[in-house]
């Protein structure tokens, strides 16, 4: 019969066993093999039944077993060693402490906000790459000693559990998660009562949340939970499901994450003595309201909105993960307005100021929508994408916020994602794997593949039983996959742009690849479609129906309920990791990084991180369609699928099977079955060389420790220094007032086109003065002017210089308020200067006889430009706002240029 109430009964640990609780609650066990072995040996059967969860393993032990362990001196010695190891890991100085000792600029603490965190399958609070990335960020930060505090939400139903119906359709189930059964502890006040976070809602309602703590090594992770008794039923459901609901439900989740998250951090620091964060890192726009809460805090101390905004921006870092506007959360402005101001949250912050920060006030924007990513960018002085290519895409996508600048100059940098090696590298993969002899490395890879074969068979049988099959029908699963066959993996979320079914474009050609008599291929596929994504569900159904075909079901499988536990089995056992997104819609795509840590080779469209680090020495790039083919979706997919088939057939499989099919002489290891063709390949030297180079050269690049170091050095450190400068109220007020003055004066700032001139040294001591509308780039077109090394009149010799002069009207601003630049570089056929290759040279004001501007109020600026390359070259002059507390000259989105050198009028939304 069904219980009407559920509660958890916890074991009472005898005093000598108390360290077991700390070991089980610190999630370091999930990536620390000695701790995992310790709990496995403690109760092997319970460990197996609980899926390798230390806390549940302890709960499975009867009191008699606990009493026995408490008097077992040998066990207590092992426990003391394990507990001491954890203590040392949490307290020994790391890389960050050494860096901080050498430089006073690093932050005392960093708060890292994310809507999801993938730490371990025992804490299912993630849906895909964003959450796994956030979890790896916390783990690597802890390993390095970075004083990070993670902030998220506790979803009582997590994401969802995926299964398949008999016909192969995705089905979703949302199991109830009891925090008391998870490796979490409540944050409590000194009197023992739970810390309670409160948000004001319209109509006099309130949203309350408790704060649960997880320990991720030395990093605390705070998770806010609205399922508390003080809430009305509607508010209790705010943290029900990850990415569930829409409209107000989603808005309340993001208000709780951002606003409530800051309040949770304050409470945690107050209760534990942890240093207050100087830097706040927003991982995607969902947590963007954190900046508004910090503005409210400063307002309570008497700081005006504009000054508080400058102070908050200085310490904020914003990371965008989406390459398309459709991936950004946007809300109706009326919904936002109803939740702020006098009848809602952020008392003292005017509703119009809130709306202004998220307004799409740029060409193509929708004035009726509030954009969370736009707010995130306006509230952060530093922002980044998650791969080099994604940085380029982001600069173009958000260029409307900086209307005076080419996309290449938009102040969004990139830090390429990384993955936590101790989590994703197989324990069987030794640190010295790149140095192993060919035969040993090949044997290691086969061992990992064989383990995957066993896992695939077990998971496939379990899936078919869930689909309604009887054990008597499943004898065929014992012959699924072969440890000596080239194995390709494809596992990820299933939005349409990731193109799960591109491999099915030509089913018969795929079938021939799978069943090739000498060079067969086997493919393992996994992934979840969002419950509301009917298109993604159809793709899964199409793939499953193909994999159910008795002709090929021993060579291609779909495994449901993809998650961290399954992923940790898939990556090491695959030979090739396939990724074929629609370029450039994969912001980073870290699954191939995890595979690479295990010697798996990448076969991918050059998107995300693979565009940046692709090398034919350790993988293959799937060609992408261009021209007319790229514009036609059906034709594009046909072209790229054909290229994928050809790569596998003509390059990947021959390389794996040593270039000549299956060669004689090899024998299948005992207990294994040879592939079709009957014999096992000898060591494929070229393939093993690619595996070795993947481990040695690509492995270090893809690690999260490299990523976190970059965040510290390029973003956290500079943000902390800016925060300290602008935590001074006078400095914050001064910067806010200066920006207001510059914006007001900017319409009157201009460069007189007719005054721009240069003196050109032709390399023979002869000057060639050009001015007015006659740009130097135009002289290098046609006839003798294009001849390399020509004499006088042939343009400018490489290595020679131009002295530029321009008259600039500053509109009441002083030269200290601006920087006048010459922007020079190679030009295209329309006289556009390539932004990435442009040379930017400050021009200096020339003091007039009166010591300032000339009689008509204009200043003369002068400087020297030396072209760095031959060919068509050009220059222009522009004026930018300049202040020592700006992170870049583009920060305000203002630039004044000669009228015919600008594509847009100066001014705009700015940030």
């Amino acid at each position: 019969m069904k219980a009407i109430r559920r509660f958890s009964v916890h074991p009472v640990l005898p005093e000598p066993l108390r360290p077991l609780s700390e070991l089980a609650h610190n999630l370091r066990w999930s990536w620390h093999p000695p701790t995992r072995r310790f709990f496995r040996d403690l109760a092997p059967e319970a460990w197996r039944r609980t899926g390798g969860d230390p806390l549940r393993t302890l709960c499975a032990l009867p009191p008699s077993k606990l009493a026995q362990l408490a008097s077992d001196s040998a066990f207590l010695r092992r426990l003391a060693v394990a507990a001491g190891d954890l203590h040392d890991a949490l307290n020994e100085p790391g890389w960050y402490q050494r860096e901080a000792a050498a430089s006073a600029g690093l932050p005392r603490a960093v708060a890292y906000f994310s809507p999801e965190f993938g730490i371990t399958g025992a804490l299912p609070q993630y849906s895909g790459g964003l959450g796994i990335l956030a979890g790896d960020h916390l783990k690597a930060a802890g390993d390095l000693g970075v004083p990070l505090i993670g902030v998220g939400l506790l979803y009582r139903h997590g994401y969802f559990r995926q299964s398949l119906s008999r016909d192969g359709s995705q089905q979703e189930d949302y199991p109830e998660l009891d925090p008391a059964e998870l490796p979490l502890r409540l944050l409590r006040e000194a009197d023992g009562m739970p810390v309670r976070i409160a948000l004001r809602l319209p109509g006099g309602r309130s949203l309350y949340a408790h704060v649960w703590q997880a320990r991720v090594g030395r990093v605390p992770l705070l998770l806010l939970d609205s399922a508390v008794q003080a809430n009305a039923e509607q508010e209790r459901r705010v943290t029900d499901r990850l990415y569930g609901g829409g409209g107000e439900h989603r808005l309340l989740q993001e208000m709780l994450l951002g606003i409530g998250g800051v309040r949770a951090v304050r409470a945690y620091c107050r209760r534990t003595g942890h240093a207050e964060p100087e830097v706040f890192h927003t991982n995607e726009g969902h947590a963007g309201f954190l900046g508004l809460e910090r503005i409210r805090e400063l307002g309570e101390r008497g700081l005006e909105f504009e000054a508080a905004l400058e102070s908050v921006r200085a310490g904020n870092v914003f990371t965008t993960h989406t390459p398309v506007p459709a991936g950004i959360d946007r809300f109706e402005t009326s919904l936002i307005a109803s939740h702020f101001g006098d009848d809602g949250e952020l008392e003292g912050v005017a509703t119009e100021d809130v709306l202004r920060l998220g307004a799409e006030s740029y060409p193509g924007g929708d004035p009726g929508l509030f954009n969370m990513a736009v707010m995130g960018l306006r509230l952060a002085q530093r922002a980044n994408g998650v791969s080099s290519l994604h940085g380029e895409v982001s600069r173009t996508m958000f260029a409307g916020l900086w209307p005076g600048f080419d996309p290449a100059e938009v102040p969004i940098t990139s830090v390429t994602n990384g993955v936590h090696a101790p989590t994703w590298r197989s324990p069987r993969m030794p640190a010295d794997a790149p140095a192993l002899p060919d035969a040993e490395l090949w044997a290691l890879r086969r061992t990992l593949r064989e383990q995957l074969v066993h896992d695939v068979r077990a998971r496939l049988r379990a899936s078919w039983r869930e689909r309604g099959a009887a054990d008597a029908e499943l004898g065929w699963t014992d012959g699924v996959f072969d440890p000596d066959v080239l194995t390709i993996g494809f596992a990820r979320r299933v939005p349409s742009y990731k193109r799960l079914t591109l491999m099915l474009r030509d089913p018969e050609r795929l079938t021939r690849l799978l069943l090739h008599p000498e060079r067969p291929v086997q493919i393992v596929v996994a992934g979840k479609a969002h419950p509301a994504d009917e298109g993604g569900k159809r793709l899964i159904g199409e793939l499953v129906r193909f994999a159910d075909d008795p002709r090929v079901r021993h060579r291609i499988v779909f495994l449901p309920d993809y998650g961290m536990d399954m992923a940790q089995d898939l990556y090491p056992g695959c030979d090739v990791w396939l990724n074929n997104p629609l370029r450039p819609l994969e912001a980073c795509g870290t699954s191939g990084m995890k595979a690479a840590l295990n010697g798996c080779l990448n076969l991918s469209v050059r998107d995300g991180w693979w565009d940046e680090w692709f090398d034919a020495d350790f993988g293959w790039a799937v060609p992408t369609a261009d021209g007319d083919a790229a514009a036609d979706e059906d034709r594009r997919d046909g072209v790229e699928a054909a290229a994928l088939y050809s790569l596998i057939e003509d390059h990947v499989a021959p390389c794996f099977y040593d270039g000549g099919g299956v060669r004689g002489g090899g024998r299948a290891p005992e207990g294994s079955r040879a592939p079709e063709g009957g014999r096992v390949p000898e060591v494929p030297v070229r393939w093993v060389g690619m595996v070795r180079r993947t481990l040695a050269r690509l492995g270090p690049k893809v690690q999260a420790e490299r990523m976190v170091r970059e965040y510290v050095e390029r973003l956290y450190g500079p943000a902390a220094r800016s925060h300290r400068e602008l935590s001074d109220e006078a400095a914050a007020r001064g910067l806010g007032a200066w920006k207001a003055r510059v914006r007001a004066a900017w319409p009157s700032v201009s460069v007189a086109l007719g005054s721009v001139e240069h003196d050109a040294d032709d390399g023979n001591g002869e000057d060639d003065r050009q001015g007015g509308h006659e740009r130097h780039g135009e002289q290098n077109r046609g006839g003798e002017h294009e001849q390399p090394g020509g004499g006088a009149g042939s343009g400018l010799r490489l290595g020679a210089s131009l002295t530029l002069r321009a008259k600039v009207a500053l509109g009441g601003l002083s030269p200290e308020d601006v920087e006048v630049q010459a922007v020079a570089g190679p030009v295209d056929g329309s006289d556009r200067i390539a932004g990435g290759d442009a040379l930017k040279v400050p021009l200096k004001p020339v003091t007039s006889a009166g010591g300032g501007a000339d009689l008509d109020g204009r200043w003369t600026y002068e400087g020297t430009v030396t072209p760095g390359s031959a060919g068509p070259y050009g220059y222009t002059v522009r004026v930018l706002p300049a202040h020592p507390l700006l992170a870049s000259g583009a920060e305000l989105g203002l630039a004044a240029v000669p009228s015919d050198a600008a594509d847009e009028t100066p001014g705009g939304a700015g940030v």
Side-chain angles (χ1 to χ4, degrees):
M1 63 184 67
K2 186 177 177 63
I4 63 171
R5 295 286 187 274
R6 176 191 175 105
F7 57 92
S8 297
V9 179
H10 297 284
V12 178
L13 295 176
E15 185 62 33
L17 301 184
R18 290 294 174 87
L20 282 173
S21 180
E22 291 307 311
L23 286 170
H25 277 87
N26 194 305
L27 297 176
R28 176 176 175 261
W29 61 257
S30 67
W31 72 86
H32 189 243
T35 306
R36 294 178 61 81
R37 286 194 295 270
F38 175 83
F39 279 102
R40 182 197 63 197
D41 295 344
L42 173 65
E45 180 57 26
W47 177 261
R48 184 192 62 79
R49 285 200 319 268
T50 63
D53 183 334
L55 189 61
R56 293 172 63 200
T57 297
L58 285 181
C59 290
L61 298 181
S64 59
K65 175 68 172 178
L66 295 174
Q68 175 192 339
L69 292 172
S71 60
D72 184 334
S73 58
F75 174 78
L76 294 177
R77 284 195 296 272
R78 286 190 64 197
L79 176 58
V81 170
D85 180 69
L86 175 62
H87 177 273
D88 291 344
L90 303 186
N91 293 282
E92 287 181 349
W95 168 84
Y96 191 88
Q97 283 67 41
R98 293 189 293 273
E99 292 294 304
S103 169
L106 297 184
R108 289 187 290 273
V110 176
Y112 181 90
F113 287 64
S114 179
E116 52 174 306
F117 287 91
I119 310 295
T120 168
L123 186 64
Q125 299 291 308
Y126 62 93
S127 72
L130 179 68
I132 300 300
L133 179 278
D136 283 4
H137 195 108
L138 264 58
K139 294 173 186 177
D143 292 346
L144 292 168
V146 181
L148 209 69
I149 302 173
V151 185
L153 300 179
L154 178 67
Y155 304 97
R156 288 299 185 110
H157 295 281
Y159 191 45
F160 68 90
R161 184 179 179 276
Q162 179 197 49
S163 60
L164 298 176
S165 67
R166 183 75 188 197
D167 68 358
S169 300
Q170 173 176 293
Q171 296 182 316
E172 300 99 24
D173 179 54
Y174 291 88
E176 180 79 22
L177 299 176
D178 183 351
E181 298 175 0
L182 300 174
L184 301 169
R185 288 177 170 138
L186 269 176
L187 179 64
R188 297 182 181 274
E189 298 287 3
D191 61 3
M193 295 298 292
V195 167
R196 193 169 78 173
I197 305 301
L199 270 67
R200 295 172 55 208
L201 302 182
R205 297 178 296 143
S206 295
L207 171 60
Y208 299 106
H210 288 163
V211 182
W212 293 91
Q213 304 173 72
R215 298 297 306 190
V216 186
R218 69 172 78 196
V219 173
L221 171 59
L222 310 179
L223 301 173
L224 285 88
D225 173 21
S226 70
V228 299
Q229 190 172 0
N231 278 331
E233 183 60 30
Q234 181 178 349
E235 281 71 48
R236 289 182 194 176
R237 293 197 299 266
V238 166
T239 57
D240 55 356
R241 298 178 180 179
L242 175 59
Y243 301 139
E248 183 180 37
H249 184 86
R250 189 70 167 265
L251 174 61
L252 290 179
Q253 285 190 340
E254 300 193 359
M255 289 176 63
L256 184 59
L257 175 59
I259 299 170
V262 173
R263 295 173 186 174
V265 169
R266 302 304 188 206
Y268 176 80
C269 294
R270 170 175 54 81
R271 289 292 301 124
T272 65
H274 195 288
E276 289 280 357
E278 295 181 284
V279 174
F280 286 75
H281 184 174
T282 308
N283 191 39
E284 198 42 271
H286 309 283
F289 290 120
L290 72 86
L292 288 170
E293 167 63 6
R294 294 181 60 216
I295 288 174
R296 185 200 64 79
E297 290 178 328
L298 293 174
E300 283 191 340
R301 289 163 34 188
L303 205 58
E304 303 80 8
F305 178 85
E306 293 298 336
L309 173 61
E310 297 306 328
S311 181
V312 165
R313 288 187 71 249
N316 271 14
V317 173
F318 176 75
T319 298
T320 175
H321 288 262
T322 179
V324 291
I328 298 169
D329 279 346
R330 301 156 85 201
F331 298 100
E332 297 288 340
T333 54
S334 57
L335 179 64
I336 297 292
S338 70
H339 280 76
F340 293 95
D342 294 338
D343 193 35
E345 257 303 334
L346 304 178
E347 185 177 8
V349 179
T351 304
E352 55 267 26
D353 287 329
V354 175
L355 294 176
R356 176 165 57 89
L357 287 169
E360 296 186 351
S361 52
Y362 44 80
D366 186 336
L369 293 179
F370 183 94
N371 187 307
M372 294 296 290
V374 166
M375 177 178 66
L377 288 165
R378 286 179 172 146
L379 281 171
Q381 196 174 46
R382 290 164 180 84
N384 69 285
V386 291
S387 70
S388 181
L389 178 60
H390 180 235
E392 294 178 24
V393 171
S394 298
R395 286 188 286 274
T396 298
M397 185 166 71
F398 294 111
L401 292 173
W402 291 271
F405 298 84
D406 291 336
E409 297 183 292
V410 167
I412 299 175
T413 186
S414 63
V415 175
T416 302
N417 284 344
V419 297
H420 186 242
T423 295
W424 299 109
R425 182 188 288 128
S426 169
R428 294 173 180 259
M429 181 64 63
D432 64 347
L436 292 176
D438 284 0
E440 290 186 31
L441 187 54
W442 177 242
L444 172 62
R445 289 293 313 146
R446 188 192 183 281
T447 298
L448 295 172
R449 193 184 315 115
E450 186 172 35
Q451 180 58 48
L452 174 63
V453 170
H454 293 312
D455 188 67
V456 163
R457 292 172 181 174
R459 291 181 185 274
L460 190 63
R461 281 193 295 269
S463 173
W464 271 99
R465 283 195 292 268
E466 278 196 298
R467 294 173 69 180
D471 286 340
E473 300 176 81
L474 298 178
W476 62 272
T477 60
D478 293 335
V480 168
F481 274 30
D482 187 314
D484 291 305
V485 167
L486 171 63
T487 304
I488 298 176
F490 182 102
R492 54 192 36 85
R493 289 185 305 110
V494 190
S496 59
Y497 79 86
K498 291 181 184 282
R499 299 192 293 186
L500 170 73
T501 57
L502 187 69
M503 66 180 77
L504 301 183
R505 180 73 185 196
D506 185 340
E508 289 308 313
R509 189 168 182 187
L510 176 59
T511 300
R512 291 197 299 273
L513 286 171
L514 296 172
L515 304 180
H516 194 286
E518 294 184 314
R519 296 190 295 270
V521 173
Q522 56 198 15
I523 305 176
V524 54
V525 184
K528 294 180 177 180
H530 188 281
D533 182 5
E534 295 301 325
K537 292 182 183 181
R538 283 194 296 272
L539 295 179
I540 288 176
E542 184 181 346
L543 193 287
V544 172
R545 285 189 291 275
F546 179 86
D548 284 352
D549 187 333
R551 292 186 304 158
V552 297
R553 65 187 182 183
H554 65 300
R555 286 282 184 255
I556 182 169
V557 299
F558 180 88
L559 303 180
D561 207 31
Y562 180 53
M564 290 187 70
D565 293 337
M566 183 192 296
Q568 287 169 319
D569 294 328
L570 288 187
Y571 296 128
C574 291
D575 300 296
V576 173
W577 198 257
L578 174 62
N579 191 25
N580 45 232
L582 179 59
R583 188 180 191 270
L585 301 185
E586 185 83 276
C588 185
T590 56
S591 61
M593 293 179 168
K594 303 177 186 98
L597 287 174
N598 294 282
C600 179
L601 309 184
N602 274 269
L603 168 63
S604 175
V605 166
R606 289 194 60 169
D607 200 3
W609 74 274
W610 191 236
D611 181 73
E612 190 172 342
W613 290 334
F614 161 71
D615 191 314
D617 279 349
F618 41 68
W620 297 270
V622 179
T624 50
D626 53 17
D628 293 340
D632 182 328
E633 180 179 329
D634 186 65
R635 187 178 171 194
R636 176 203 67 211
D637 287 355
V639 167
E640 296 185 13
L644 174 60
Y645 296 137
S646 295
L647 269 173
I648 296 173
E649 190 171 38
D650 300 334
H651 298 277
V652 180
C655 184
F656 180 83
Y657 292 107
D658 210 13
V662 179
R663 297 176 56 187
R667 295 184 58 191
E670 184 177 351
S672 70
R673 190 168 54 83
E676 297 171 26
R679 287 167 294 186
V680 178
E682 295 177 349
V683 176
V685 175
R686 189 156 60 95
W687 185 277
V688 172
M690 295 179 72
V691 170
R692 191 185 311 283
R693 288 187 290 273
T694 293
L695 293 169
R697 290 168 46 192
L698 192 55
K701 290 182 180 180
V702 302
Q703 296 195 29
E705 284 198 0
R706 182 270 313 154
M707 172 190 72
V708 172
R709 282 191 178 102
E710 286 193 42
Y711 272 108
V712 169
E713 293 163 354
R714 296 174 48 201
L715 294 169
Y716 295 167
R721 291 188 286 274
S722 293
H723 161 80
R724 290 167 189 169
E725 290 177 316
L726 285 167
S727 61
D728 178 82
E729 293 186 4
R733 287 191 174 99
L735 182 59
W738 177 85
K739 284 188 175 182
R741 181 168 59 85
V742 168
R743 288 190 177 106
W746 205 256
S748 300
V749 176
S750 64
V751 180
L753 177 61
S755 73
V756 180
E757 62 180 22
H758 69 255
D759 294 336
D761 181 353
D762 70 357
N764 290 316
E766 298 180 11
D767 288 340
D768 176 21
R769 173 162 295 192
Q770 306 289 337
H773 64 278
E774 202 172 2
R775 295 186 302 279
H776 190 71
E778 296 175 341
Q779 299 172 14
N780 289 337
R781 297 182 186 168
E784 77 243 27
H785 299 299
E786 292 187 350
Q787 297 172 16
S794 63
L796 191 72
R797 289 178 180 271
L798 186 62
S801 301
L802 299 175
T803 299
L804 307 184
R805 295 183 189 84
K807 288 183 180 282
V808 179
L810 296 183
L813 300 177
S814 73
E816 289 75 26
D817 295 322
V818 301
E819 178 176 314
V820 179
Q821 292 180 341
V823 181
V827 293
D828 59 21
S830 60
D831 277 358
R832 295 287 304 179
I833 300 171
D837 298 323
L839 180 68
K840 301 175 182 69
V841 178
L843 305 182
K844 301 300 182 185
V846 178
T847 305
S848 66
D854 58 22
L855 294 177
D856 58 5
R858 295 185 300 176
W859 291 79
T860 299
Y861 279 79
E862 184 176 286
T864 300
V865 171
T866 304
S869 62
Y873 214 82
Y875 72 78
T876 187
V877 175
R878 68 179 179 185
V879 188
L880 307 179
H883 192 285
L885 294 179
L886 298 183
S888 80
E891 185 170 314
L892 274 72
L894 300 174
V897 294
S899 58
D900 77 336
D903 292 327
E904 301 179 18
T905 56
V911 293

